[in-house]
Amino acid sequence: MSGGNGNATNGDGGFSFPKGPVMPKITTGAAKRGNGGVCHDDSGPTVNVSTIDELHSLQKKRSAPTTPINQGGAAAFAAVSEEERQKIQLQSISASLASLTRESGPKVVRGDPAEKKADGSTTPAYAHGQHHSIFSPATGAVSDSSLKFTHVLYNLSPAELYEQAIKYEKGSFITSNGALATLSGAKTGRAPRDKRVVRDATTEDELWWGKGSPNIEMDEHTFMVNRERAVDYLNSLDKVFVNDQYLNWDPENRIKVRIVSARAYHSLFMHNMCIRPTQEELESFGTPDFTIYNAGQFPCNRYTHYMTSSTSVDLNLARREMVILGTQYAGEMKKGLFSVMHYLMPKRRILSLHSGCNMGKDGDVALFFGLSGTGKTTLSTDHNRYLIGDDEHCWTETGVSNIEGGCYAKCVDLSREKEPDIWNAIKFGTVLENVVFDEHTREVDYTDKSVTENTRAAYPIEFIPNAKIPCVGPHPKNVILLACDAFGVLPPVSKLNLAQTMYHFISGYTALVAGTEDGIKEPTATFSACFGAAFIMLHPTKYAAMLAEKMKSQGATAWLVNTGWSGGSYGVGNRIKLAYTRKIIDAIHSGSLLKANYKKTEIFGFEIPTEIEVVG
Ligand SMILES: Nc1ncnc2c1ncn2[C@@H]1O[C@H](COP(=O)(O)OP(=O)(O)OP(=O)(O)O)[C@@H](O)[C@H]1O
Ligand SMILES: O=C([O-])CC(=O)C(=O)O
Ligand SMILES: [Ca+2]
Ligand SMILES: [Mn+2]
């Protein structure tokens, strides 16, 4: 028996040593691996590199090129065309970033400026290397800005965006559920009073202007002043994020959008909220239909005409551009694009809707209209039904389609018990805005409103297990108008005839609950046309007429559901329990509420059921 290094046997022959030297040999230098059972500290597999840099370079495998290389095709040819394709892409991005007053802007390069090349340098490699092909706009009057590089981080993955956020953006953390916690800065809600729309010869006639309209005018020149401010700001940075994505799951009415932003938070938010193109779709993306310049960290100049604060969110429909200055709240981008859809879609006789949408197992579709905070996301996310979308839809001649690729849920007081699907969607990849968490465990406290009431989670729609992909469905059977009544006036549910539906759709009563819009601290009675007046572009009657026509031709039934206070106002009674609202909604979906007995209320003439058959 040999003791060796602990390999003792009991001597009964049931155990034998592998062949090889009995005594371990201490080797130095060129010891080969796996030479027979020698057990010492260094015997594990070793890496086949000679420097640490080489080791690090092994870690990342090159991504598949966006242009598929044909099997058996000439590899050299394919490689050239991939480079060519990337050059075209950079040219397009460079055009987006170009200043309109200087002849040359910065040189646009792809990749992270902090990423070292194999030779240890950080300056871009000229004319070689697929990840760092360079595009420099036509030379003209030279300024310092034209001598610098702007690195473009193009359609990064969530993992890459996490790293960018955590490395460079203060207030970015990974929470214990895997989400990326971010801070949106001073603004934690939209700023509708700072929204401006360019009034030109076309929009003058087409859009809704004046009292009650969300479209506060600015002229073309002022837009260009703000655009230049945003572009110069973005170009002054070492790097910008560019997202090329789609809006609208209806393939015939899909819109290509480009978002240029300065923060990984913004890029990940839009990655989640817009429709994510496949590699192949990206390859043929071409020129975007609409571009957002988000320079939210940089204020607008208050000496500029039409500016009433340091925040400005500017829409120019003719140029198909939006500029954001002075607010980092990501919801501005989402709702800015929604405004664009509210303009483009009705032109195609398609109705755009601020609504959630889901579908039962039998294909029955329900729309959930409602102002911010009334329960569109909460109630369209229903474990027993397929989720088509939570916030923005189109209703065409053939049915409904979601405009977005993700959901934006309020998470104040979120609980696993009451909203399990939303709870579980908050995981790796999800952006968690303005939440508070334990400094050590990183566990989120959804009840903590220290930063804002309007805490939010933005996640791709497929994070909801029963999402319907593609997010389209047939014509709606039920149209549910949600109102969060803070004054205890509305009954929990009533059935509406078409005239009542139009009345409610146009008046859009709800109580604005704190949070989503800047400055709202306690429930305020609001009348918001089309349940989202802040985003409509045309006169409310245009949308209402289309809705009436569609509901009539499809025989949809409308309901008014109060998700607020009943039998006692805010501060006195309690908000209607979510479980109770869900039962009402279930009874609408199943058809049982349609069969109930109704009595007419004296004041509004609402048809309210005398009893609700509660299932389950
Ligand atoms: N009876 C109820 N019905 C619906 N939601 C309720 C009810 N009681 C409390 N809530 C809470 O109200 C909030 C509704 O927010 P939700 O995100 O669904 O609003 P939304 O209509 O999607 O708004 P937005 O357009 O701003 O995204 C959630 O926080 C939900 O938990
Ligand atoms: O836009 C936002 O910030 C959130 C939202 O969905 C709304 O207000 O309707
Ligand atoms: Ca929502
Ligand atoms: Mn909304």
CSV table of all heavy atoms in Angstrom, one decimal, residues 190 334-335 338 354-355 370-373 376-377 390-392 408 456 516 535, ligand 4:
chain,number,residue,atom,x,y,z
A,190,ARG,N,-44.6,62.3,-17.5
A,190,ARG,CA,-44.6,63.1,-18.7
A,190,ARG,C,-44.8,64.5,-18.4
A,190,ARG,O,-45.4,64.9,-17.4
A,190,ARG,CB,-45.6,62.5,-19.7
A,190,ARG,CG,-45.2,61.3,-20.5
A,190,ARG,CD,-46.3,60.8,-21.4
A,190,ARG,NE,-47.4,60.3,-20.7
A,190,ARG,CZ,-48.5,61.0,-20.5
A,190,ARG,NH1,-48.6,62.3,-21.0
A,190,ARG,NH2,-49.6,60.5,-19.9
A,334,LYS,N,-42.1,56.8,-25.8
A,334,LYS,CA,-43.2,55.8,-26.0
A,334,LYS,C,-44.5,56.6,-26.5
A,334,LYS,O,-45.1,56.3,-27.5
A,334,LYS,CB,-43.4,55.0,-24.8
A,334,LYS,CG,-44.7,54.3,-24.7
A,334,LYS,CD,-45.0,53.9,-23.2
A,334,LYS,CE,-46.5,53.6,-23.0
A,334,LYS,NZ,-47.0,52.4,-23.7
A,335,LYS,N,-44.8,57.6,-25.7
A,335,LYS,CA,-46.0,58.3,-26.0
A,335,LYS,C,-45.8,59.3,-27.1
A,335,LYS,O,-46.8,59.7,-27.8
A,335,LYS,CB,-46.5,59.1,-24.7
A,335,LYS,CG,-47.3,58.1,-23.8
A,335,LYS,CD,-48.4,57.4,-24.5
A,335,LYS,CE,-49.5,56.8,-23.6
A,335,LYS,NZ,-49.1,55.6,-22.8
A,338,PHE,N,-46.6,57.3,-30.0
A,338,PHE,CA,-48.0,57.0,-30.0
A,338,PHE,C,-48.7,58.2,-30.7
A,338,PHE,O,-49.6,58.0,-31.5
A,338,PHE,CB,-48.5,56.8,-28.6
A,338,PHE,CG,-49.9,56.3,-28.5
A,338,PHE,CD1,-50.4,55.4,-29.4
A,338,PHE,CD2,-50.7,56.7,-27.5
A,338,PHE,CE1,-51.8,55.0,-29.3
A,338,PHE,CE2,-52.0,56.3,-27.3
A,338,PHE,CZ,-52.6,55.4,-28.3
A,354,HIS,N,-55.9,54.4,-27.3
A,354,HIS,CA,-55.1,54.2,-26.0
A,354,HIS,C,-55.9,53.2,-25.2
A,354,HIS,O,-56.7,53.5,-24.4
A,354,HIS,CB,-55.1,55.6,-25.3
A,354,HIS,CG,-54.3,55.6,-24.1
A,354,HIS,ND1,-54.5,56.4,-22.9
A,354,HIS,CD2,-53.1,55.0,-23.8
A,354,HIS,CE1,-53.6,56.2,-22.0
A,354,HIS,NE2,-52.7,55.3,-22.5
A,355,SER,N,-55.5,51.9,-25.5
A,355,SER,CA,-56.3,50.8,-24.9
A,355,SER,C,-55.4,49.6,-24.7
A,355,SER,O,-54.4,49.4,-25.4
A,355,SER,CB,-57.5,50.5,-25.7
A,355,SER,OG,-57.1,49.7,-26.8
A,370,GLY,N,-58.8,53.5,-21.2
A,370,GLY,CA,-58.7,54.2,-19.9
A,370,GLY,C,-57.5,55.1,-19.9
A,370,GLY,O,-56.5,54.9,-20.5
A,371,LEU,N,-57.7,56.2,-19.1
A,371,LEU,CA,-56.6,57.1,-18.9
A,371,LEU,C,-55.5,56.4,-18.1
A,371,LEU,O,-55.7,55.3,-17.5
A,371,LEU,CB,-57.1,58.3,-18.2
A,371,LEU,CG,-57.3,59.6,-19.0
A,371,LEU,CD1,-57.6,60.7,-18.0
A,371,LEU,CD2,-56.0,59.9,-19.7
A,372,SER,N,-54.4,57.1,-18.0
A,372,SER,CA,-53.3,56.6,-17.2
A,372,SER,C,-53.7,56.2,-15.8
A,372,SER,O,-54.4,56.9,-15.1
A,372,SER,CB,-52.3,57.7,-17.1
A,372,SER,OG,-51.1,57.2,-16.5
A,373,GLY,N,-53.3,55.0,-15.4
A,373,GLY,CA,-53.6,54.5,-14.0
A,373,GLY,C,-55.0,53.9,-13.8
A,373,GLY,O,-55.3,53.6,-12.7
A,376,LYS,N,-55.5,49.6,-17.5
A,376,LYS,CA,-55.4,48.9,-18.8
A,376,LYS,C,-54.3,47.8,-18.7
A,376,LYS,O,-54.6,46.6,-19.1
A,376,LYS,CB,-54.9,49.9,-19.8
A,376,LYS,CG,-55.9,50.9,-20.2
A,376,LYS,CD,-55.4,51.9,-21.3
A,376,LYS,CE,-54.2,52.7,-20.9
A,376,LYS,NZ,-54.3,53.5,-19.7
A,377,THR,N,-53.2,48.1,-18.1
A,377,THR,CA,-52.1,47.0,-18.1
A,377,THR,C,-52.5,45.9,-17.1
A,377,THR,O,-52.5,44.7,-17.4
A,377,THR,CB,-50.8,47.6,-17.6
A,377,THR,OG1,-50.5,48.7,-18.6
A,377,THR,CG2,-49.7,46.6,-17.6
A,390,ASP,N,-50.9,46.1,-23.9
A,390,ASP,CA,-51.4,46.7,-22.7
A,390,ASP,C,-51.7,48.2,-22.8
A,390,ASP,O,-52.3,48.8,-21.9
A,390,ASP,CB,-50.4,46.5,-21.5
A,390,ASP,CG,-49.2,47.5,-21.6
A,390,ASP,OD1,-48.8,47.7,-22.8
A,390,ASP,OD2,-48.8,48.0,-20.6
A,391,ASP,N,-51.4,48.8,-24.0
A,391,ASP,CA,-51.5,50.3,-24.0
A,391,ASP,C,-51.9,51.0,-25.3
A,391,ASP,O,-52.6,52.0,-25.3
A,391,ASP,CB,-50.2,50.9,-23.4
A,391,ASP,CG,-50.4,52.3,-22.9
A,391,ASP,OD1,-51.2,52.6,-22.0
A,391,ASP,OD2,-49.7,53.2,-23.4
A,392,GLU,N,-51.4,50.5,-26.4
A,392,GLU,CA,-51.6,51.2,-27.7
A,392,GLU,C,-52.0,50.2,-28.8
A,392,GLU,O,-51.2,49.3,-29.1
A,392,GLU,CB,-50.3,51.9,-28.1
A,392,GLU,CG,-49.8,52.9,-27.0
A,392,GLU,CD,-48.4,53.5,-27.4
A,392,GLU,OE1,-47.9,53.3,-28.5
A,392,GLU,OE2,-47.8,54.1,-26.5
A,408,TYR,N,-45.8,48.5,-20.1
A,408,TYR,CA,-45.3,49.5,-19.2
A,408,TYR,C,-46.2,49.6,-18.0
A,408,TYR,O,-47.3,50.2,-18.1
A,408,TYR,CB,-45.3,50.9,-20.0
A,408,TYR,CG,-44.5,52.0,-19.4
A,408,TYR,CD1,-43.3,51.7,-18.7
A,408,TYR,CD2,-44.8,53.3,-19.6
A,408,TYR,CE1,-42.5,52.8,-18.2
A,408,TYR,CE2,-44.1,54.4,-19.1
A,408,TYR,CZ,-42.9,54.1,-18.4
A,408,TYR,OH,-42.2,55.1,-17.9
A,456,ARG,N,-42.3,52.4,-12.4
A,456,ARG,CA,-42.8,51.7,-13.6
A,456,ARG,C,-41.8,50.6,-13.9
A,456,ARG,O,-40.6,50.6,-13.7
A,456,ARG,CB,-42.8,52.6,-14.8
A,456,ARG,CG,-43.8,53.7,-14.8
A,456,ARG,CD,-45.1,53.3,-15.5
A,456,ARG,NE,-46.1,54.3,-15.4
A,456,ARG,CZ,-47.3,54.2,-16.0
A,456,ARG,NH1,-47.5,53.2,-16.8
A,456,ARG,NH2,-48.2,55.2,-15.9
A,516,THR,N,-48.3,59.9,-13.1
A,516,THR,CA,-47.9,59.8,-14.5
A,516,THR,C,-47.7,61.2,-15.1
A,516,THR,O,-46.9,61.3,-16.1
A,516,THR,CB,-48.9,59.0,-15.2
A,516,THR,OG1,-49.2,57.9,-14.5
A,516,THR,CG2,-48.3,58.5,-16.6
A,535,PHE,N,-52.3,62.5,-26.2
A,535,PHE,CA,-51.6,61.9,-27.3
A,535,PHE,C,-52.3,62.1,-28.7
A,535,PHE,O,-51.8,61.7,-29.7
A,535,PHE,CB,-51.4,60.4,-27.1
A,535,PHE,CG,-51.2,60.1,-25.6
A,535,PHE,CD1,-52.2,59.3,-25.0
A,535,PHE,CD2,-50.2,60.6,-24.9
A,535,PHE,CE1,-52.0,59.0,-23.6
A,535,PHE,CE2,-50.1,60.3,-23.5
A,535,PHE,CZ,-51.0,59.5,-22.9
B,4,MN,MN,-50.8,54.6,-21.3
